[in-house]
Amino acid sequence: MHRFSGLAKEASALQERKEPAVRFLASLVTATRQQQQRPSRPHRRPPLGAAGPVRWNSAAKASAVKLQEKPPREKILTLESMNPQVKAVEYAVRGPIVLKAGEIEKELRKGIKKPFTEVIKANIGDAHAMGQRPITFLRQVVALCTYPNLLDSPSFPEDSKERARRILQGCGGNSLGSYSASQGVNCIREDVAAYIERRDGGVPADPDNIYLTTGASDGIATILKILVSGGGKSRTGVMIPIPQYPLYSAAISELDAVQVNYYLDEENCWALNVNELRRSLEEAKVYCNPKVLCIINPGNPTGQVQSRKCIEDVIHFAWEEKLFLLADEVYQDNVYSESCQFSSFKKVLYEMGPDYYNNVELASFHSTSKGYMGECGYRGGYMEVINLHPEIKGQLVKLLSVRLCPPVSGQAAMDIVVNPPVPGEESYAQFIKEKESVLNNLAMKAKLTEDLFNQVPGIHCNPLQGAMYAFPRIFIPSKAIETAKIHKMAPDMFYCMKLLEETGICVVPGSGFGQREGTYHFRMTILPPVEKLKILLEKVKDFHIKFLEEYS
């Protein structure tokens, strides 16, 4: 009986407050106590239809438990208590517009009617998601490494088996499932060094300067982590191009470093001007210590390919101002303009002579995700770091060891990028056919995109010399700008959101990459298949004309 006494008292007290649900509960408790206090008598089965003992139904039990519940305590982690640097991070490529695209896709699957039947995600350079076929040889070698029993299968060419055996011999227990050294599998770093020497016409490369990474992003973030120091006006400043790839601004925010913008010259096909670098540097010296200069070549999102003369000027500027150079070269295979040629910063630096080559500190980056491979999901990449202080080299390896090692399957994929079939090998003909098909197709789509955009009133698109994006400038009428302010959106975000809602096309507003005040752009990948790309471009054209009419 005592087990009900506390509950009965509580229910009785609440009953006095005239709460109906509680009065009902209290009556149940009272009835139960009375039942228990009656003298015991021989058990008799009640007549059919007679009321039995009072029983607790589920609703009453739930109510009783609820009475004893305490309010939840305050959360330890809130927006106010979280790391402010993480809260400051923004990454436009997967920002609000992409979340909205996901919501629309769910609505379409539920049968909700839209003016379109699918969402075309042109916001990100994910080649295979857009339908690009994998390179056969790369997949064969990774498959063999993943399941070595296939090495006995006659379905795989011998040159793929040779590479797989070499990679597996470099892995602990001959297994892709083992950890590698933090710097990466040794034989793969040797292959990366050999690739760089071939690419740069014999410029020497040391495997000890090669670090395999989880995509290029991992290498960039790691180097920045080592570079950032100081406080107040001595805090490290990182010079980045505007427009930029949002990885850079995100990493700078996370590290609480200082972002130092320099603007690319849109009127001159997004060229990099050293006078602009100097202006940016001198202004930044007032409030921080600029010591890092980032270059993206070929450009993302702008698609320009820097000339050799431009690269020489940048290297001289870095040498003169004692800046650490970061060369993001993940699109080095994606050059489409016949008047352009990719030159690595490493090669140009070497050819400028020993004063430069022995002194300028340079980290350059490559990846499996772009080029003709498009293997984003493997997260394979490398960085080559030269002229690093020996003690800092040890610190870098220590930092890398915290994450143990990059995915070994991604390292294997990177090996095939730098060690593909060569003339005379069994797989060469198919490999070169697939590689050229992908790159020729991208070149055709780059020209198609440029030409069609430039036919639309109020849109201007610079030549797409390389990479895999268009970054057209769009005219937005003042009425649309005012409407965007009402909705608390940047004008180009408002434009892109309406484009998504009316056509199903998902692109990224230029404000997510940075742009000169008063100009508006969006970034769009050229990766969709040709026929779908044509449909996409026509839809953008029709939308833009309608948008101008609506807001003029």
Side-chain angles (χ1 to χ4, degrees):
M1 182 178 72
H2 62 278
R3 62 196 173 110
F4 294 102
S5 60
L7 182 59
K9 288 178 182 176
E10 187 175 349
S12 178
L14 290 169
Q15 188 179 17
E16 293 177 5
R17 296 205 294 265
K18 308 299 183 185
E19 297 182 25
V22 176
R23 288 201 303 273
F24 171 72
L25 177 60
S27 67
L28 288 174
V29 173
T30 303
T32 304
R33 292 183 63 186
Q34 290 172 349
Q35 180 74 18
Q36 291 180 333
Q37 289 170 352
R38 290 175 187 165
S40 61
R41 61 181 67 180
H43 175 72
R44 296 179 183 176
R45 184 186 299 273
L48 188 64
V54 176
R55 298 184 184 277
W56 286 76
N57 61 28
S58 58
K61 288 179 180 178
S63 298
V65 170
K66 193 172 182 181
L67 288 172
Q68 296 179 321
E69 282 183 358
K70 294 180 179 178
R73 73 179 189 180
E74 187 177 331
K75 298 290 184 186
I76 295 168
L77 185 60
T78 66
L79 283 174
E80 290 71 33
S81 66
M82 72 174 288
N83 184 331
Q85 273 65 60
V86 174
K87 191 159 58 173
V89 168
E90 293 184 2
Y91 189 64
V93 174
R94 294 197 174 188
I97 199 140
V98 181
L99 298 177
K100 181 66 176 178
E103 291 174 10
I104 292 173
E105 283 184 316
K106 289 179 183 176
E107 292 173 354
L108 287 171
R109 284 195 292 269
K110 290 178 181 177
I112 298 173
K113 297 296 181 185
K114 301 283 181 184
F116 46 87
T117 57
E118 67 170 332
V119 172
I120 302 176
K121 289 186 175 177
N123 61 293
I124 196 165
D126 191 350
H128 292 186
M130 286 291 180
Q132 181 178 308
R133 304 303 302 164
I135 298 297
T136 302
F137 188 76
L138 186 150
R139 288 296 182 91
Q140 285 175 331
V141 176
V142 175
L144 289 164
C145 289
T146 304
Y147 189 59
N149 288 0
L150 293 173
L151 287 165
D152 297 326
S153 170
S155 300
F156 290 80
E158 192 56 38
D159 48 359
S160 68
K161 292 179 181 179
E162 288 172 2
R163 283 165 175 77
R165 289 190 189 101
R166 182 168 182 270
I167 292 168
L168 289 172
Q169 286 167 7
C171 297
N174 291 325
S175 173
L176 217 60
S178 60
Y179 288 128
S180 76
S182 298
Q183 205 168 332
V185 175
N186 188 60
C187 68
I188 298 177
R189 291 191 292 116
E190 290 173 353
D191 288 345
V192 170
Y195 161 79
I196 292 171
E197 287 191 7
R198 291 194 308 274
R199 181 197 68 187
D200 293 344
V203 175
D206 183 351
D208 200 39
N209 291 334
I210 306 298
Y211 303 81
L212 299 180
T213 57
T214 307
S217 302
D218 172 48
I220 293 165
T222 299
I223 286 292
L224 285 174
K225 202 175 288 186
I226 288 264
L227 281 161
V228 172
S229 64
K233 291 184 178 181
S234 66
R235 190 64 174 165
T236 297
V238 182
M239 300 179 68
I240 64 171
I242 298 296
Q244 52 107 15
Y245 178 50
L247 161 71
Y248 290 93
S249 55
I252 291 166
S253 292
E254 186 178 353
L255 295 169
D256 197 25
V258 180
Q259 179 174 318
V260 179
N261 297 339
Y262 66 88
Y263 289 89
L264 301 176
D265 185 359
E266 184 172 10
E267 306 307 318
N268 191 21
C269 201
W270 299 112
L272 196 167
N273 188 304
V274 172
N275 290 331
E276 169 62 13
L277 289 179
R278 187 160 281 109
R279 176 207 63 79
S280 173
L281 179 75
E282 293 305 319
E283 289 182 6
K285 285 179 178 177
V286 175
Y287 56 85
C288 69
N289 174 26
K291 65 178 183 182
V292 187
L293 173 58
C294 303
I295 311 290
I296 308 174
N297 181 47
N300 174 13
T302 45
Q304 85 285 3
V305 179
Q306 302 293 357
S307 68
R308 181 189 173 90
K309 174 66 166 61
C310 174
I311 294 171
E312 287 177 353
D313 290 345
V314 170
I315 290 172
H316 177 74
F317 177 78
W319 175 80
E320 189 177 50
E321 298 292 344
K322 296 182 179 177
L323 297 172
F324 194 113
L325 268 176
L326 303 187
D328 183 339
E329 298 175 335
V330 301
Y331 297 99
Q332 60 189 257
D333 289 305
N334 300 103
V335 178
Y336 314 125
S337 174
E338 292 181 0
S339 62
C340 296
Q341 182 179 357
F342 171 77
S343 297
S344 76
F345 268 75
K346 164 85 175 295
K347 179 182 181 182
V348 176
L349 177 62
Y350 184 82
E351 293 174 348
M352 288 176 70
D355 278 356
Y356 294 95
Y357 184 69
N358 293 328
N359 291 291
V360 174
E361 293 155 274
L362 168 70
S364 52
F365 308 90
H366 196 17
S367 167
T368 62
S369 301
K370 309 304 175 186
Y372 58 90
M373 308 78 64
E375 294 283 8
C376 303
Y378 276 118
R379 308 309 300 133
Y382 75 75
M383 61 180 174
E384 181 187 25
V385 190
I386 61 173
N387 291 325
L388 206 58
H389 191 288
E391 291 178 357
I392 294 298
K393 202 170 200 176
Q395 294 295 316
L396 176 57
V397 172
K398 178 186 74 174
L399 183 59
L400 291 171
S401 70
V402 173
R403 55 95 159 111
L404 296 176
C405 69
V408 183
S409 55
Q411 295 185 50
M414 191 74 245
D415 187 73
I416 306 313
V417 174
V418 299
N419 185 25
V422 296
E425 288 189 309
E426 183 179 352
S427 300
Y428 178 75
Q430 182 182 11
F431 167 78
I432 205 70
K433 179 182 177 183
E434 291 175 352
K435 175 182 176 180
E436 289 180 353
S437 173
V438 170
L439 293 176
N440 290 340
N441 192 256
L442 285 169
M444 179 181 66
K445 290 189 286 189
K447 191 72 173 73
L448 172 71
T449 303
E450 176 195 338
D451 289 347
L452 286 181
F453 272 148
N454 285 328
Q455 293 173 15
V456 183
I459 295 182
H460 173 73
C461 185
N462 273 328
L464 278 62
Q465 297 173 336
M468 49 183 62
Y469 312 99
F471 196 67
R473 183 169 175 174
I474 52 175
F475 172 70
I476 298 182
S478 56
K479 184 179 175 183
I481 294 171
E482 291 303 316
T483 306
K485 286 180 182 176
I486 293 170
H487 288 87
K488 297 181 179 178
M489 290 184 184
D492 49 7
M493 172 62 85
F494 175 71
Y495 178 96
C496 292
M497 196 64 80
K498 284 188 71 69
L499 175 67
L500 172 63
E501 291 171 344
E502 295 182 19
T503 69
I505 296 169
C506 179
V507 297
V508 189
S511 51
F513 301 89
Q515 54 200 352
R516 281 195 181 274
E517 188 72 26
T519 68
Y520 306 105
H521 305 78
F522 64 79
R523 190 192 79 163
M524 184 198 87
T525 182
I526 61 171
L527 288 171
V530 173
E531 291 310 311
K532 182 172 280 191
L533 182 62
K534 287 179 179 177
I535 293 169
L536 186 158
L537 293 169
E538 283 297 325
K539 282 187 172 186
V540 172
K541 173 186 173 183
D542 294 342
F543 167 82
H544 188 76
I545 292 170
K546 179 185 170 188
F547 184 87
L548 293 182
E549 290 173 353
E550 182 178 352
Y551 290 100
S552 292

